[in-house]
Amino acid sequence: MNGEAWLFLFAVVVAALLLFTMIFFIIMFSDLECDYINPIDLCSKLNQFVIPESVGHALLAVIFLFNGAWISLLLNLPLIGMNVNKIINNRHMYDATEIFRTLPQHKKECFFKLAFYLLSFFFSNHSNIATQVHDRGTSCRRAKGTASYPQLMLPKHTKHYGGLFHMQEVMVDKVEQIPIKTPSILASEAL
Amino acid sequence: MNPNQPVGQQPQQRPPATAPLIPNASVRPIGMQGPPGAGGFRPQGPLVQMGQRPQMNPQQPAQFRPQQPMQPQINRNPLSPTMQQARPLMQNSNQQFAPQQLQSGPVRPVVGAGPPVGMTSPLIQQQQQQLQQQQYAGPQSGPTGPGGPMSSIVSPTGPNPIASISPQQAGVPPVGAAPRPVAAGRRAYPTAPQQPQQQQQIGGQPGFQQQQMQQQQMQQNPMMGNPYQQQGQAPNMVAPMGQQQQQQQQQQFMQPASVPQFGGARPPQFGAAQNSMQSQQPGYATQQGFDQPQQPVYGAQLQNGQPQQSMMNQGQMGGLQNGMQNMNMGQNQRNPAAPTAVNLLQKAPSVTELETMTPPPNMSAQMSVSQSPHSICPPVYKRCTMNAIPQTQAILTKSKIPLGLILTPYRSLQPGEEPVPVVNPPQIVRCRRCRTYINPWVQFVEQGTRWKCNMCFLTNEVPAFFDWDSEARQQVDRMKRPELTHSVVEYIAPQEYMVRPPQPVILLFVIDVSYAAVQSGMVDAVSKTLLECLDDFPNSDGRTKVGFIAVDHSLHFFNLNSTNSEPQMLVMPDIEDAFLPSPDGLLASLTESRVVIEKLLAGLPGMFRGTTSSQNCLGRALQSANTMIKAIGGKIILFQSSLPNLSEASLKMREDPKVLGTPKEVSLLQPQNAFYKGFAVDCSRAHVSVDLFAFNSQYLDLATLSSLAKVTGGSNYYYPTFNPSNAQDLAKLSTELHNYFSRPLALEAVLRVRASKGLKMSRFHGNFFLRSTDLLALPTVNPDNSYAIEMEIQDALPSAVACFQTALLHTSSSGERRIRVLTLTIPVTDSYGDLFTGADQYAIATLLSKKGVEKCITSNLDSARDEMISRLTDLIGAYKAAFTSSGQNSMLILPENLKLLPLLMMSTLKHIAFRTSGIIPSDVRTFAQALMCVYPTEAYLPSIHPRFWAIHSMDSSCGELDDATGRVIFPPVLNLSSEKLERHGLYLLENGSDIFFWVGRGIAPELCQLVFGVPSYDGIVFGKNALPQLSNDWSKRVHNLVSNIKQLRTLMMTTCPNVYIVKEDSDPNLRMLFLSQLMEDKLDSGNSYPLFLGYVREKMAKPASMF
């Protein structure tokens, strides 16, 4: 596994964590609606997770930035912006006195984030696999395991050119070596 | 029974054995269906034939029946006859019962005069008499008084005069005057009062009489009668004369064209009281079916024989009437006869109507299970923005009328008001499923053994103690139970409503003793006043505890142990690590430690007189205070005079005059620090509330501090230019604190609002902590505060009546756990006509202003103003869209009962809370907004639209006590316009927080001498001065007016208004202050009323041009 694969593996883990956080938030909100929890407890519980969640997401973005995974970074930027904006305006914490008034909005936001983290989970997962496949693309034996993603593989080659310079060079070398082989191998194995 | 009876009504009859318990009584069997009158008197007129009725009441001797030529129909539809037709009321009720009033009164011979057995008041007799006279126009009519000969002949008397006269006369309200007979054994309960009663029609009347009857019936129509008036004024104050006049007035706007139709030309099945709508809707007749004479049809709505309608103006009546017509038409058909429209541009608003604030009537008390007049919820306790609830959200949305409640559950009683009845049942009767408390609007089913919840329609057991007093071992009349007769009752709660023993009252004073506070004289004045108020402290059970913390850069605790001879001050300089310096004694029993407390209050100003500390660590003080009392709960009373500037709760001086009046101003209205809100949430959890008394001339950041009171259900009191050398300021503080301590206090309260299935509470406004979707936590209940609740309609409302029940579970200051239950019922409609004629402009304005405050804080001032204007224009637009043709497009019209709404909205926009101005300090604005959030409608109105009187021209009765009402007579209210200011005039203006005297330059020297005690205009001293007490009649009467206003405001909002004397050429600031109260004039950027209307019309024209 190369650096990029590690990166995406890490992204997968973080996305999964964030995903679970959001599910937890949503469950807590529906508890509140059913009056299983009072708003003060709810807010004190959820507020513990607000900053970690934002930080986790920001961390991910920073890693994307350093690794030059520009597409991933771009996808994450709007959410980063939203979080930063909220923190700057001091609106990031849940307010027990306003929670019922803002509950629909919070829920909407949580569902949106849930969907986003879910997508980014799959995206990172895919990128991870793709990177690994690509990484091992030179050997037929290794490529076997990922051969069921031929159609996903192809565009990835181009994508990975966006990596860090040393990676790029490595990849350029590899790409030069494989260009003809890879598709044919994969195509044949897929069949 | 009638085969055409509606499905779901079980016509079973009870065994006769149970029915008539009193000889001659016309107790009708339960479940019997038919005209109520049938059980009682059946006219032996030419044709009255109500088929099945007679044999049901074998005891009823025919000769006792009044020789009434006609028997009108009774329709118990809450809204209107026509609506009923569309939707039979209470379709799912199992049985249909006649109202008890009409079925169970012992019948007395009509002709054979006998002494009245019952307690029929002379008034009711009078009314009956009058009604009869009108019916029997001619031979029998003559001047008869209550004790006149006629009364013994014509009006049968008995415990239940209504039953014994005629159904028509049943319209006369029984208002407490007609006690229900106590029957032994099973009685017939009026189990389904909402059921439409079968109607009988007696024809053969000459048209004129018919018409007269219609007048009466119209008058007694539940929508038209004004049930609320029964609350305040005893019905027997009504002179019959007034009623007659009213009827005559009504005749003027009846539609005569329709009348002849009934005069016998119609088949007898038609209700005599059917109004003109019939002529317009021939389809109705066939629909009702001539062949179904006993079907519940619309007709006379007699339930609410509200005798007095003087407050209702004719236009409104007309509007209602038209509204009913409109109901017929359904929504699809645009009805040319919409609710009577008022062209707003035509004349100045009639401000006299603001004095009464009468909401449109909604239900008739006769429809409640006990038919008690108290089953109508007084609007001062609970007020809905619409007195006819739309059936679906679609109708609501389209009508653009906001749906909401204004609750003031724990309000202080004004003099002359009846206290809330307190009941202590062995068990509190509630619905099993939805936990609704039993109330006057439930139905009894299954021979009265079960009651049907009016929210969720589940049937529940009626407990035995409703009918049987096991201690006295005798039957009791369940209809005398306050929970069935009063819409506002207070239960003494049993054990299961307590999580812990009722808490004692705890008052913890946190007093700012920093340099600024001492210098301003606040500490001195407060200590002195508290010392005077000690007797007013709520301490009926002797458990009250009191504590004091003085705050500057350190915390000063006081050990008040009763074993000490002197209070012991414990100073805590290390505020970073504050702890409670003494395990006990910090909170001392008021009774035991009274001497020590008095010594402390007497010595407190002296202890800090020489202080040099300019710092204040309010945050730590509050935390310590909370620690002290959080185990019990109670009240933290905060006297603050300087900006807290120590510890994490320090506040920055952020007021910037440049920001005022700009969109950025809103940042000054939002809290700058999350500490106070967070602290308040903690307090709320520990049943601690915070009341803030702010004294300052400097910036105090009320925007941040006021969140303490907002979240904990407390209140803010603000003395912006407090000057202890001014006697009026001291008197104001003293009056307010006296009232503050002596008013009723409720602790550890929760307030839950329940509403009929389909209704959902969406937003809440006021000072509270929202603990669940419909549960407000109120650590202490402040009687002044009201709570506004916005609602949505989630599912179409299934029944014809919507019900809102508020339960306030609290611990009274006497240590009793109590539940105050308020039940409001409102008919459901699907017609726009009803919606608009039932809209309550005062409640709407109150609700919109509260929404405006919220919007202002979350968004900004301009968007709040825009929203209020757009709500108004939307409403007018919706009305026009529904009821006008294109020709009226340019007119600005509203129904009669909404005609003041534009004025109210304009005045709200000109109120300090919303005014666009660059000179209103943010503290002043925040305070105004905080008040706006908690104002009940009665306090909101004068604050936005002050009351204005001409003193120089008032007649000699003004200022005197009215013997009839016990109130001071005020001169007629003037429009708030400087047009009214005459050069030689003396005017009085009152806005709830201030009283102004405006002295015209050319005031008569005699008047100067009489009122101000100076020989001429020049001698009058302007400014914040009390009027001199002079020993002449004029001065006394003016003082009466002023003291009456002060008393009213003190009781209502714990605000004692200051008196300002403003001369025409006095200080320009003072002059502007007065002139800014004249709402109909142009003010700064605020438009004058006509211009405002023009603006509204322009705004309305814009969207129209887009289509």
Side-chain angles (χ1 to χ4, degrees):
Chain A
M1 282 201 350
N2 64 15
E4 198 154 8
W6 281 113
L7 162 71
F8 283 112
L9 187 63
F10 179 71
V12 167
V13 173
V14 172
L17 282 178
L18 292 173
L19 199 62
F20 284 124
T21 319
M22 279 305 112
I23 291 172
F24 172 68
F25 273 41
I26 288 165
I27 291 173
M28 292 298 274
F29 283 137
S30 48
D31 272 7
L32 179 71
E33 279 183 331
C34 304
D35 207 6
Y36 294 140
I37 187 169
N38 79 51
I40 304 175
D41 291 339
L42 172 103
C43 292
S44 58
K45 244 180 214 175
L46 292 195
N47 282 339
Q48 298 171 359
F49 291 92
V50 171
I51 291 291
E53 186 225 321
S54 303
V55 168
H57 185 247
L59 185 71
L60 197 61
V62 168
I63 297 174
F64 282 141
L65 175 73
F66 284 126
N67 282 292
W70 305 121
I71 292 180
S72 304
L73 183 63
L74 264 182
L75 289 176
N76 281 290
L77 269 184
L79 189 57
I80 299 265
M82 198 176 93
N83 284 341
V84 168
N85 181 32
K86 270 174 131 183
I87 291 171
I88 286 174
N89 292 324
N90 206 12
R91 287 186 295 114
H92 57 295
M93 289 296 185
Y94 294 105
D95 180 352
T97 58
E98 302 279 308
I99 189 82
F100 282 104
R101 203 166 56 78
T102 47
L103 191 59
Q105 190 190 328
H106 288 319
K107 278 181 80 178
K108 210 185 283 172
E109 197 181 295
C110 277
F111 276 115
F112 163 74
K113 279 186 178 175
L114 181 73
F116 178 80
Y117 292 142
L118 197 67
L119 283 180
S120 66
F121 174 79
F122 284 118
F123 182 79
S124 307
N125 204 5
H126 162 251
S127 304
N128 176 29
I129 292 166
T131 322
Q132 289 191 43
V133 168
H134 170 73
D135 194 19
R136 299 155 195 175
T138 42
S139 110
C140 300
R141 182 175 50 81
R142 287 198 169 191
K144 252 186 189 173
T146 53
S148 52
Y149 303 99
Q151 68 278 32
L152 295 178
M153 281 294 299
L154 294 175
K156 287 303 153 204
H157 291 292
T158 48
K159 185 196 164 230
H160 292 154
Y161 280 103
L164 287 180
F165 287 113
H166 73 272
M167 279 176 111
Q168 241 177 14
E169 285 166 25
V170 171
M171 286 169 54
V172 167
D173 289 348
K174 284 179 182 170
V175 169
E176 281 173 353
Q177 290 169 8
I178 5 168
I180 310 151
K181 272 187 185 171
T182 311
S184 61
I185 290 169
L186 291 174
S188 62
E189 289 195 354
L191 289 170
Chain B
M1 293 302 277
N2 185 352
N4 293 318
Q5 205 172 313
V7 180
Q9 297 171 350
Q10 299 172 2
Q12 305 112 351
Q13 298 172 17
R14 290 182 30 166
T18 58
L21 297 159
I22 303 168
N24 258 352
S26 62
V27 177
R28 277 191 342 159
I30 286 191
M32 176 173 133
Q33 176 156 7
F41 287 105
R42 179 84 41 78
Q44 279 196 323
L47 40 132
V48 189
Q49 297 2 329
M50 333 197 100
Q52 70 271 46
R53 275 313 95 185
Q55 65 272 25
M56 287 206 168
N57 200 1
Q59 278 96 345
Q60 179 58 58
Q63 63 269 30
F64 285 162
R65 294 173 184 164
Q67 299 296 315
Q68 254 177 273
M70 86 182 347
Q71 168 130 2
Q73 299 181 346
I74 295 201
N75 185 328
R76 308 196 67 86
N77 188 308
L79 251 181
S80 77
T82 52
M83 204 189 112
Q84 164 123 26
Q85 198 246 341
R87 288 154 35 82
L89 283 160
M90 295 296 157
Q91 290 151 335
N92 36 9
S93 70
N94 294 329
Q95 292 182 324
Q96 183 176 17
F97 296 109
Q100 185 184 1
Q101 289 276 359
L102 297 170
Q103 67 192 17
S104 62
V107 173
R108 295 194 56 81
V110 172
V111 182
V117 171
M119 302 192 286
T120 315
S121 74
L123 164 75
I124 289 186
Q125 294 183 19
Q126 225 172 347
Q127 288 169 344
Q128 294 161 355
Q129 213 175 321
Q130 187 194 353
L131 287 165
Q132 292 206 345
Q133 282 167 22
Q134 289 180 357
Q135 272 174 358
Y136 310 169
Q140 288 196 345
S141 67
T144 51
M150 288 298 285
S151 63
S152 59
I153 299 168
V154 180
S155 67
T157 51
N160 199 338
I162 290 161
S164 56
I165 301 171
S166 82
Q168 180 184 0
Q169 288 160 359
V172 179
V175 199
R180 318 183 64 77
V182 177
R186 281 262 172 245
R187 285 188 15 207
Y189 288 109
T191 40
Q194 288 95 335
Q195 282 291 356
Q197 296 303 310
Q198 291 198 353
Q199 308 293 320
Q200 283 293 326
Q201 171 66 37
I202 304 92
Q205 279 301 305
F208 173 68
Q209 285 192 357
Q210 284 269 359
Q211 187 180 358
Q212 263 198 334
M213 284 195 60
Q214 283 176 23
Q215 307 301 334
Q216 292 173 6
Q217 287 157 348
M218 286 306 292
Q219 189 178 359
Q220 292 158 357
N221 186 304
M223 277 292 280
M224 295 180 176
N226 191 344
Y228 294 119
Q229 291 175 18
Q230 293 177 356
Q231 305 293 329
Q233 296 158 306
N236 50 10
M237 293 195 291
V238 182
M241 216 25 226
Q243 194 181 5
Q244 272 170 343
Q245 283 171 353
Q246 187 67 37
Q247 286 170 352
Q248 281 163 7
Q249 284 176 347
Q250 286 183 28
Q251 282 181 1
Q252 293 168 4
F253 60 86
M254 284 289 294
Q255 298 177 9
S258 64
V259 171
Q261 296 238 355
F262 304 124
R266 289 252 170 187
Q269 285 83 358
F270 269 88
Q274 288 164 0
N275 52 25
S276 57
M277 63 189 75
Q278 277 196 342
S279 58
Q280 299 175 357
Q281 276 241 316
Y284 233 79
T286 48
Q287 221 171 334
Q288 284 298 323
F290 295 122
D291 52 340
Q292 301 182 11
Q294 316 241 318
Q295 274 303 310
V297 290
Y298 49 90
Q301 298 212 345
L302 299 179
Q303 299 92 328
N304 184 28
Q306 178 54 263
Q308 116 194 71
Q309 295 185 338
S310 54
M311 284 175 174
M312 296 265 301
N313 52 53
Q314 299 179 17
Q316 193 171 352
M317 304 288 260
L320 285 161
Q321 191 184 352
N322 286 332
M324 283 163 202
Q325 291 176 9
N326 191 46
M327 249 183 296
N328 280 348
M329 301 297 199
Q331 311 161 30
N332 307 332
Q333 193 177 349
R334 184 161 292 189
N335 191 346
T340 315
V342 178
N343 191 343
L344 299 170
L345 296 164
Q346 264 172 357
K347 55 176 182 178
S350 68
V351 289
T352 43
E353 285 169 38
L354 288 173
E355 289 290 286
T356 55
M357 287 186 291
T358 320
N362 54 9
M363 299 284 285
S364 154
Q366 295 275 328
M367 306 224 353
S368 71
V369 73
S370 60
Q371 301 175 348
S372 153
H374 299 290
S375 27
I376 301 289
C377 189
V380 285
Y381 283 100
K382 200 172 193 179
R383 196 168 186 132
C384 186
T385 53
M386 30 177 66
N387 280 323
I389 299 276
Q391 203 177 1
T392 60
Q393 179 72 30
I395 304 177
L396 177 63
T397 320
K398 211 176 152 197
S399 75
K400 303 283 183 194
I401 305 175
L403 174 57
L405 291 174
I406 313 286
L407 301 172
T408 321
Y410 209 68
R411 61 185 286 273
S412 323
L413 295 175
Q414 296 285 341
E417 283 184 318
E418 278 181 40
V420 175
V422 178
V423 276
N424 188 6
Q427 167 209 350
I428 293 181
V429 187
R430 302 176 67 177
C431 174
R432 273 176 294 137
R433 183 163 62 198
C434 65
R435 309 300 290 147
T436 299
Y437 295 80
I438 195 166
N439 59 66
W441 302 91
V442 300
Q443 298 169 63
F444 285 114
V445 293
E446 297 175 26
Q447 285 90 52
T449 57
R450 297 175 77 80
W451 61 277
K452 188 173 195 180
C453 172
N454 50 345
M455 302 257 187
C456 70
F457 313 115
L458 186 78
T459 57
N460 297 276
E461 289 281 327
V462 175
F465 68 84
F466 262 52
D467 295 315
W468 179 255
D469 182 351
S470 55
E471 279 177 19
R473 297 186 162 277
Q474 61 182 15
Q475 286 282 338
V476 287
D477 182 2
R478 68 166 68 159
M479 290 311 162
K480 282 187 178 147
R481 296 195 68 83
E483 54 266 52
L484 290 180
T485 54
H486 286 71
S487 57
V488 183
V489 284
E490 197 157 281
Y491 291 97
I492 295 180
Q495 198 74 41
E496 58 261 31
Y497 291 86
M498 306 177 197
V499 283
R500 55 175 186 173
Q503 68 168 80
V505 179
I506 301 221
L507 303 172
L508 179 53
F509 297 88
V510 177
I511 302 174
D512 176 14
V513 290
S514 61
Y515 179 77
V518 175
Q519 282 308 105
S520 70
M522 182 274 275
V523 179
D524 211 354
V526 165
S527 313
K528 259 186 213 151
T529 318
L530 287 181
L531 194 55
E532 290 163 20
C533 290
L534 278 182
D535 285 325
D536 292 328
F537 280 25
N539 192 19
S540 58
D541 57 352
R543 297 194 300 160
T544 301
K545 288 188 172 182
V546 180
F548 293 86
I549 300 177
V551 192
D552 50 10
H553 63 278
S554 53
L555 301 178
H556 307 259
F557 295 92
F558 296 92
N559 187 341
L560 302 171
N561 224 324
S562 57
T563 50
N564 299 353
S565 58
E566 294 280 325
Q568 188 184 7
M569 182 158 81
L570 307 158
V571 184
M572 173 76 57
D574 179 14
I575 58 158
E576 286 311 311
D577 196 15
F579 59 93
L580 296 187
S582 163
D584 60 343
L586 299 182
L587 280 178
S589 157
L590 179 61
T591 318
E592 289 168 17
S593 303
R594 174 79 183 240
V595 182
V596 189
I597 292 167
E598 279 174 4
K599 277 184 184 162
L600 169 68
L601 284 174
L604 194 67
M607 289 179 210
F608 298 98
R609 191 150 290 151
T611 186
T612 52
S613 167
S614 60
Q615 290 173 313
N616 179 292
C617 59
L618 180 66
R620 289 281 173 251
L622 288 173
Q623 282 170 334
S624 307
N626 190 24
T627 318
M628 265 164 84
I629 64 175
K630 73 179 174 193
I632 312 172
K635 210 166 194 171
I636 296 175
I637 301 163
L638 178 59
F639 293 93
Q640 189 69 15
S641 188
S642 57
L643 198 63
N645 50 10
L646 267 186
S647 83
E648 61 189 333
S650 70
L651 297 174
K652 283 197 286 291
M653 166 69 200
R654 53 173 181 165
E655 176 97 324
D656 179 4
K658 275 180 257 159
V659 173
L660 297 180
T662 66
K664 280 185 190 159
E665 185 181 353
V666 67
S667 65
L668 295 180
L669 304 177
Q670 289 164 340
Q672 60 167 298
N673 186 323
F675 170 83
Y676 291 92
K677 210 172 197 178
F679 173 76
V681 170
D682 292 344
C683 282
S684 164
R685 195 164 206 192
H687 300 297
V688 174
S689 83
V690 184
D691 284 346
L692 171 67
F693 289 80
F695 302 76
N696 72 322
S697 44
Q698 301 293 312
Y699 180 64
L700 196 53
D701 202 350
L702 276 186
T704 309
L705 291 184
S706 65
S707 53
L708 287 171
K710 178 147 182 71
V711 177
T712 60
S715 322
N716 298 302
Y717 300 91
Y718 185 44
Y719 305 86
T721 50
F722 183 73
N723 178 4
S725 59
N726 186 323
Q728 224 184 125
D729 277 358
L730 280 183
K732 177 179 161 75
L733 177 67
S734 164
T735 317
E736 293 183 8
L737 278 180
H738 273 287
N739 184 62
Y740 173 79
F741 289 113
S742 55
R743 69 191 186 190
L745 174 66
L747 304 154
E748 46 175 353
V750 285
L751 185 144
R752 193 184 286 280
V753 188
R754 292 184 176 84
S756 293
K757 218 153 95 181
L759 286 161
K760 187 194 160 209
M761 323 285 144
S762 54
R763 292 245 174 136
F764 296 78
H765 307 273
N767 288 1
F768 53 79
F769 178 72
L770 191 59
R771 208 156 73 189
S772 167
T773 42
D774 58 349
L775 188 71
L776 313 187
L778 302 164
T780 60
V781 187
N782 182 339
D784 301 343
N785 286 0
S786 75
Y787 311 93
I789 300 165
E790 285 176 68
M791 280 172 303
E792 290 166 359
I793 300 169
Q794 273 188 321
D795 314 312
L797 302 179
S799 79
V801 179
C803 185
F804 304 92
Q805 191 172 65
T806 309
L808 177 72
L809 174 64
H810 63 276
T811 303
S812 70
S813 54
S814 54
E816 266 180 328
R817 199 77 175 140
R818 290 182 168 202
I819 310 167
R820 184 172 284 200
V821 177
L822 297 90
T823 313
L824 173 71
T825 42
I826 294 176
V828 174
T829 179
D830 57 359
S831 112
Y832 288 106
D834 279 341
L835 283 193
F836 280 99
T837 48
D840 180 351
Q841 54 192 347
Y842 309 109
I844 293 175
T846 316
L847 183 67
L848 289 183
S849 70
K850 289 175 196 239
K851 280 172 71 75
V853 172
E854 191 188 281
K855 181 90 182 171
C856 180
I857 292 170
T858 53
S859 178
N860 64 49
L861 201 57
D862 283 336
S863 58
R865 293 169 56 88
D866 287 347
E867 183 175 284
M868 279 193 270
I869 295 176
S870 67
R871 294 302 290 254
L872 175 67
T873 50
D874 286 353
L875 200 154
I876 302 177
Y879 173 70
K880 285 177 73 173
F883 297 111
T884 56
S885 54
S886 55
Q888 292 170 292
N889 250 353
S890 60
M891 284 163 64
L892 200 56
I893 52 173
L894 268 178
E896 181 73 26
N897 56 320
L898 286 173
K899 68 179 175 186
L900 290 174
L901 189 60
L903 177 69
L904 296 178
M905 292 321 294
M906 184 197 70
S907 308
T908 309
L909 294 175
K910 287 185 179 178
H911 187 262
I912 301 172
F914 298 107
R915 195 186 295 167
T916 19
S917 160
I919 53 165
I920 299 173
S922 67
D923 276 355
V924 173
R925 202 192 281 274
T926 309
F927 181 65
Q929 292 188 340
L931 275 184
M932 193 70 91
C933 256
V934 299
Y935 271 147
T937 309
E938 290 73 33
Y940 161 77
L941 273 191
S943 83
I944 60 145
H945 191 276
R947 302 196 289 163
F948 186 38
W949 301 278
I951 297 295
H952 60 283
S953 59
M954 69 180 186
D955 50 345
S956 57
S957 66
C958 295
E960 304 285 356
L961 275 184
D962 186 352
D963 291 332
T965 60
R967 291 183 188 157
V968 174
I969 304 172
F970 278 86
V973 184
L974 301 179
N975 278 57
L976 286 169
S977 160
S978 49
E979 284 171 10
K980 304 283 175 192
L981 293 174
E982 289 179 44
R983 228 178 112 77
H984 63 276
L986 172 62
Y987 297 89
L988 175 60
L989 183 143
E990 179 255 334
N991 68 1
S993 54
D994 295 304
I995 296 172
F996 296 93
F997 280 96
W998 171 267
V999 190
R1001 210 186 297 246
I1003 185 172
E1006 299 80 22
L1007 193 59
C1008 278
Q1009 188 64 49
L1010 286 171
V1011 177
F1012 298 99
V1014 292
S1016 71
Y1017 174 75
D1018 297 328
I1020 299 171
V1021 187
F1022 63 82
K1024 188 151 82 174
N1025 302 313
L1027 283 187
Q1029 290 269 10
L1030 302 175
S1031 59
N1032 62 65
D1033 177 59
W1034 261 93
S1035 176
K1036 271 183 200 148
R1037 288 194 285 133
V1038 173
H1039 269 280
N1040 275 349
L1041 295 181
V1042 171
S1043 56
N1044 182 271
I1045 295 169
K1046 284 189 171 180
Q1047 187 200 10
L1048 179 73
R1049 297 300 160 217
T1050 307
L1051 277 177
M1052 193 181 276
M1053 285 307 290
T1054 317
T1055 307
C1056 178
N1058 277 324
V1059 176
Y1060 292 87
I1061 296 171
V1062 188
K1063 285 163 73 175
E1064 196 176 335
D1065 56 0
S1066 61
D1067 176 25
N1069 283 339
L1070 198 57
R1071 214 168 150 258
M1072 270 314 296
L1073 187 60
F1074 173 81
L1075 291 177
S1076 69
Q1077 307 291 327
L1078 298 179
M1079 293 301 174
E1080 286 176 36
D1081 286 350
K1082 186 166 165 45
L1083 164 78
D1084 294 345
S1085 58
N1087 285 328
S1088 67
Y1089 185 58
L1091 281 176
F1092 177 77
L1093 290 181
Y1095 175 67
V1096 168
R1097 191 166 64 165
E1098 251 172 51
K1099 276 207 85 165
M1100 288 181 55
K1102 269 179 206 160
S1105 63
M1106 282 159 57
F1107 295 110

